[in-house]
Amino acid sequence: MTSSITDVEITPKVVQEHGLKPDEYDRICKILGRKPNITELGLYSVMWSEHCGYKHSRALLKTLPTKGPKVLQGPGENAGIMDIGEGWAVAFKVESHNHPSAIEPYQGAATGVGGILRDIFTMGARPIASLNSLRFGPLADPKVKRLFSGVVRGIADYGNCMGIPTVAGEVVFDESYTENCLVNAMSVGLVRYEHIIKGRASGVGNPVIYIGATTGRDGIHGATFASTEITDESTEKRSAVQVADPFMEKLLMEATLELIHDDLLVGIQDMGAAGLTCSTCEMASRGGAGIEIDVAKVPQREKGMTPYEILLSESQERMLLVAKPDCEQKVHEILAKWDLHAATIGFVTDTGRMVVKENGKVVADVPADSLTEAPVYHPAKSEPDILKKHREFDEAAVPVPSHPQEVLEKLLSDPTLASKRWVYRQYDHMVRSNTLVRPGSDAAVIRVKGTPLGLAMTIDGLGSYCALDPYEGAKTVVAEAARNIACSGAEPIGMTDCLNFGSPEKPEVYYYFDRVIAGLGDACRAFHIPITGGNVSLYNENPSGAIDPTPIVGMIGLFTDVSTAVTQWFKDEGDLIYLLGDIGDSIGGSRYLQVVHGKKTGLCPKLNMEMEHKLHQALKAMADGRLLRSAHDCSDGGFAVALAESCVTGWTHEAKTHGAKVELPGQGRVDGRLFGEAQSRTIISCKPVLGAQIEALAGKFGVPCAKIGQVGGDALLIGGEINAPVARLADLFFTSIEKLMA
């Protein structure tokens, strides 16, 4: 091992190459009372990167609601945790792996899944489900097909090897993401109250132990890479993309959970972004302690690695833990049983400093808190001119199509609206046998074995809405996620988010970011849903521009009795069909306007949060009373697409489809009533004898309720506008992506 890199002269060019601004470098010098050496500069460069330091987002994130009666752990730890009763808690979080996936789609996606799983079992929770939200350019583009295929394979291979079911997700194809795909991964785990553990160091002299894979040069400066825009030169940064090993992660997960179960640890942290640097300084800072390590003791798989490389490597499947007094030997024995690398590399101190040595020689010595307290910026913001044009868009100038059935068929064939069967058939969504509702319904449902409890989970995003009106769009994405949970029969209890934007240093981008945060916060307060943590991914842009502002929302719902769970597809001939909510007739912001007329503009639908919350409560009450045969929210594609999905989506679950004959409610433009995306609407079905009870409950909650038809036949009939054979609709819906990917 050599330390020659510590002799590198710190010039303005070197500082710039580390992603630090001149005034940030001056601040580092002031903190240290001297100039940093190259290793110390590396520590600050990764910890003060946007990816780790949240420099441009921290001030706004503090405005979000994060507390509630069920919240056991909010933001600030590896994952949020909520109480679900019976001695159980749920841990969950979503994170991005956008930049790596754009360069190396398979490894980028796989390591994204691995990282979020570690965030869950680091809290003492056993992962029970994975979800994902993906964004790509138009699927006709060969480059997009390659990215899409690689990302899906990466997610599938990692999750399947780990034995964790992938139960839900969403995929959107839009020109905004052509050069910057988005890969947001979510994981959910279960933990007993007594096994919850946190990522902190305490107890002077307690051993600091490295476990898991050996350290290599892969992923060095991955956090810094994720904090810059993608350019034509980004492919040269493949070394910033980590390499996955799910089999190692499986061993790491089982060993970690055993160590926690046996009560041998003070704290534990995943080595994710910024690797050993992040886990060391964050554990020390959270515990109000210091840590001293010797990098010569770190297991390495490459020769001649410098302290700089060891500290900044983002090699995967690694953890750092602090053992309790007199437990070090037992920890090593358990790790040896699982055939894992383990090395005691340091100890906890009371100095508050992160001290790094190499063979006893100090190579870095900085205050731990200074690494975790990156500068906070309040960028300028200005409303983009394009938003005014969206508000001035004249819907009346858009012609009403003369053949609505052709429009419905075109929408069902649109890859964004079509079934994602091609994706989820590559995932194992039944492993561990807890999945009650698998992909293809509004929300997935997982049972908590040995109890009557269950969890509903979904992940949603509405970048196109937020591009038109960031405040309304953000409110709507929360509402849609909560509506999906409510349609499943559960109560929405908690949320995690992943906020994907362009450069916050551009006033127009920061305007979007500011308004999205305001919308998320207001909606969560209205629905009494706390945000327990999440991730911010900025600089998602390239020379041609930024992505649409894209907040992704992962939501958890609770069943006190999971046997009341509801799915979205129609069940039996003769069942009554109701529309809860008002039909609306606006086409602004709709997928219909974009796909059929080539216009992504107009005013996206306004959300009445009071009415939306009443709808959630009414759906929950109907499910609890076992009144519902099906429930499906009206969202992308509107009323007609939601009806078609209710007819056909039972095909892959129950080997049957159902026709329906319904009226087209309301007044105004026909295409708006059929394909517009007015909010707070759900299509439900029930047995005929329960219709009066459905109407009474809707009235009790003040939710508009119209009986619009019945299930039956082999065609979908909507008023006098659509008469489509269900078999044809099913073929279009299920095979669209498969044909494009053939």
Side-chain angles (χ1 to χ4, degrees):
M1 186 180 298
T2 175
S3 298
S4 60
I5 195 170
T6 60
D7 300 326
V8 172
E9 181 184 358
I10 308 299
T11 65
K13 182 181 179 182
V14 170
V15 172
Q16 183 182 23
E17 288 173 346
H18 279 72
L20 292 165
K21 300 176 181 178
D23 59 331
E24 291 175 338
Y25 177 71
D26 292 341
R27 178 172 173 171
I28 293 167
C29 293
K30 185 176 180 180
I31 289 169
L32 298 180
R34 57 176 172 79
K35 292 182 178 180
N37 62 40
I38 189 66
T39 300
E40 292 166 336
L41 188 72
L43 302 182
Y44 283 101
S45 74
V46 290
M47 292 307 299
W48 285 13
S49 67
E50 189 64 46
H51 191 74
C52 293
Y54 293 84
K55 295 185 291 191
H56 295 87
S57 58
R58 201 183 317 166
L60 292 179
L61 295 177
K62 287 183 177 180
T63 67
L64 295 172
T66 60
K67 297 181 179 179
K70 288 185 170 66
V71 176
L72 300 178
Q73 176 62 57
E77 275 286 346
N78 293 296
I81 300 181
M82 298 196 72
D83 183 0
I84 60 171
E86 306 259 346
W88 287 101
V90 58
F92 59 103
K93 192 182 182 185
V94 61
E95 283 204 347
S96 64
H97 232 221
N98 302 334
H99 284 59
S101 299
I103 304 303
E104 288 279 8
Y106 181 87
Q107 293 293 354
T111 52
V113 174
I116 197 64
L117 289 173
R118 289 195 300 279
D119 282 340
I120 298 303
F121 66 76
T122 297
M123 302 298 295
R126 177 172 291 279
I128 58 167
S130 292
L131 303 87
N132 53 75
S133 174
L134 312 176
R135 297 286 190 283
F136 300 92
L139 196 49
D141 184 333
K143 178 184 175 182
V144 171
K145 288 183 181 181
R146 180 184 66 82
L147 287 172
F148 179 42
S149 178
V151 164
V152 171
R153 282 193 303 109
I155 292 170
D157 286 356
Y158 206 99
N160 293 351
C161 289
M162 285 288 293
I164 309 297
T166 302
V167 297
E170 57 150 20
V171 189
V172 169
F173 302 94
D174 186 282
E175 289 183 358
S176 166
Y177 310 104
T178 298
E179 299 297 330
N180 293 84
C181 64
L182 300 185
V183 177
N184 291 183
M186 178 178 171
S187 185
V188 182
L190 287 173
V191 58
R192 298 292 299 177
Y193 299 160
E194 63 270 21
H195 293 151
I196 294 172
I197 192 168
K198 300 180 181 180
R200 55 194 61 194
S202 63
V204 174
N206 281 341
V208 175
I209 303 174
Y210 170 115
I211 68 173
T214 53
T215 294
R217 290 188 171 93
D218 51 317
I220 292 175
H221 269 297
T224 311
F225 170 53
S227 305
T228 58
E229 299 172 20
I230 290 180
T231 65
D232 293 338
E233 290 73 41
S234 292
T235 52
E236 299 174 5
K237 298 183 178 180
R238 291 180 187 272
S239 62
V241 180
Q242 308 92 333
V243 179
D245 183 351
F247 301 104
M248 174 68 76
E249 177 117 338
K250 174 66 173 173
L251 297 175
L252 190 63
M253 178 178 73
E254 298 300 340
T256 297
L257 293 175
E258 183 173 344
L259 292 170
I260 295 168
H261 185 272
D262 289 355
D263 196 25
L264 303 177
L265 306 182
V266 172
I268 184 168
Q269 171 118 345
D270 162 39
M271 290 189 214
L276 183 57
T277 296
C278 184
S279 55
T280 307
C281 68
E282 285 192 350
M283 289 183 76
S285 180
R286 290 193 194 111
I291 283 184
E292 181 176 313
I293 63 171
D294 193 318
V295 292
K297 299 177 180 179
V298 172
Q300 299 159 52
R301 64 171 173 264
E302 297 188 44
K303 293 181 179 180
M305 291 188 70
T306 65
Y308 178 99
E309 292 171 324
I310 294 168
L311 289 164
L312 271 60
S313 167
E314 293 184 11
S315 295
Q316 294 293 284
E317 293 85 36
R318 303 178 303 157
M319 312 278 273
L320 193 70
L321 58 87
V322 175
K324 288 186 173 181
D326 303 319
C327 292
E328 182 178 357
Q329 183 59 36
K330 180 64 174 174
V331 168
H332 281 279
E333 289 172 2
I334 289 175
L335 294 169
K337 181 184 77 172
W338 289 101
D339 198 24
L340 289 170
H341 290 284
T344 299
I345 64 171
F347 54 90
V348 178
T349 70
D350 60 1
T351 65
R353 302 186 71 82
M354 176 178 170
V355 178
V356 182
K357 294 181 177 180
E358 182 191 29
N359 289 318
K361 178 184 175 182
V362 175
V363 294
D365 184 352
V366 302
D369 284 348
S370 71
L371 292 172
T372 62
E373 295 173 356
V376 176
Y377 296 119
H378 303 271
K381 59 186 177 185
S382 62
E383 183 181 75
D385 293 338
I386 190 66
L387 292 182
K388 182 179 179 182
K389 293 181 180 179
H390 293 320
R391 290 193 292 266
E392 293 174 347
F393 176 70
D394 182 12
E395 288 188 16
V398 178
V400 177
S402 55
H403 300 288
Q405 186 164 317
E406 293 179 4
V407 173
L408 175 61
E409 292 180 356
K410 188 170 185 178
L411 288 174
L412 289 175
S413 303
D414 171 35
T416 291
L417 299 185
S419 168
K420 305 308 181 293
R421 184 177 68 174
W422 182 87
V423 176
Y424 63 72
R425 275 187 167 178
Q426 299 183 52
Y427 302 153
D428 188 335
H429 40 261
M430 296 301 292
V431 63
R432 296 186 180 273
S433 69
N434 293 323
T435 309
L436 296 184
V437 178
R438 55 190 190 270
S441 196
D442 282 347
V445 177
I446 299 284
R447 72 164 64 103
V448 180
K449 279 185 178 174
T451 79
L453 304 174
L455 295 170
M457 51 198 74
T458 188
I459 190 165
D460 290 283
L462 282 173
S464 60
Y465 275 21
C466 292
L468 306 179
D469 186 331
Y471 178 72
E472 284 295 328
K475 284 166 43 184
T476 301
V477 70
V478 176
E480 183 172 324
R483 199 181 317 134
N484 285 335
I485 296 293
C487 282
S488 75
E491 176 192 1
I493 62 167
M495 190 180 106
T496 177
D497 57 44
C498 193
L499 309 177
N500 305 274
F501 291 79
S503 170
E505 299 169 61
K506 297 179 179 179
E508 293 83 2
V509 172
Y510 196 72
Y511 176 87
Y512 283 119
F513 189 67
D514 176 82
R515 297 306 296 153
V516 163
I517 293 288
L520 293 175
D522 286 350
C524 285
R525 280 182 281 269
F527 306 146
H528 309 296
I529 300 173
I531 300 173
T532 62
N535 176 237
V536 177
S537 175
L538 303 178
Y539 299 97
N540 290 289
E541 58 181 273
N542 57 76
S544 63
I547 62 165
D548 283 348
T550 309
I552 299 298
V553 162
M555 196 168 290
I556 297 293
L558 177 63
F559 294 93
T560 53
D561 181 355
V562 75
S563 69
T564 63
V566 181
T567 51
Q568 73 178 38
W569 47 89
F570 294 144
K571 302 300 186 300
D572 288 314
E573 301 271 322
D575 284 350
L576 300 181
I577 302 172
Y578 284 87
L579 173 67
L580 301 181
D582 293 321
I583 188 70
D585 73 335
S586 171
I587 60 172
S590 65
R591 191 69 187 171
Y592 155 71
L593 184 61
Q594 188 171 347
V595 171
V596 176
H597 297 284
K599 299 179 185 295
K600 185 161 70 174
T601 189
L603 291 173
C604 61
K606 296 288 185 182
L607 177 72
N608 181 324
M609 292 192 291
E610 181 181 0
M611 180 55 67
E612 180 74 35
H613 196 212
K614 289 178 179 178
L615 176 62
H616 303 166
Q617 294 172 311
L619 286 165
K620 179 71 167 61
M622 291 173 184
D624 286 348
R626 303 181 188 272
L627 305 179
L628 298 176
R629 298 286 281 155
S630 69
H632 184 31
D633 81 312
C634 296
S635 54
D636 294 352
F639 177 74
V641 168
L643 277 168
E645 290 172 340
S646 298
C647 288
V648 306
T649 48
W651 186 19
T652 55
H653 295 77
E654 300 175 352
K656 65 176 75 172
T657 59
H658 290 283
K661 183 177 181 180
V662 301
E663 302 167 1
L664 178 59
Q667 303 292 325
R669 43 185 310 157
V670 170
D671 55 348
R673 288 184 286 154
L674 285 169
F675 310 114
E677 296 173 6
Q679 294 300 300
S680 309
R681 299 180 302 163
T682 300
I683 291 168
I684 63 171
S685 66
C686 68
K687 293 181 178 179
V689 295
L690 299 176
Q693 290 177 254
I694 288 286
E695 293 170 21
L697 261 181
K700 175 183 175 181
F701 286 97
V703 174
C705 176
K707 183 165 62 178
I708 57 174
Q710 280 188 291
V711 176
D714 56 9
L716 172 60
L717 288 76
I718 306 178
E721 305 296 335
I722 291 174
N723 184 347
V726 171
R728 174 165 172 75
L729 298 181
D731 181 63
L732 293 170
F733 180 70
F734 284 108
T735 66
S736 174
I737 292 179
E738 293 169 1
K739 289 175 180 176
L740 285 166
M741 294 301 293

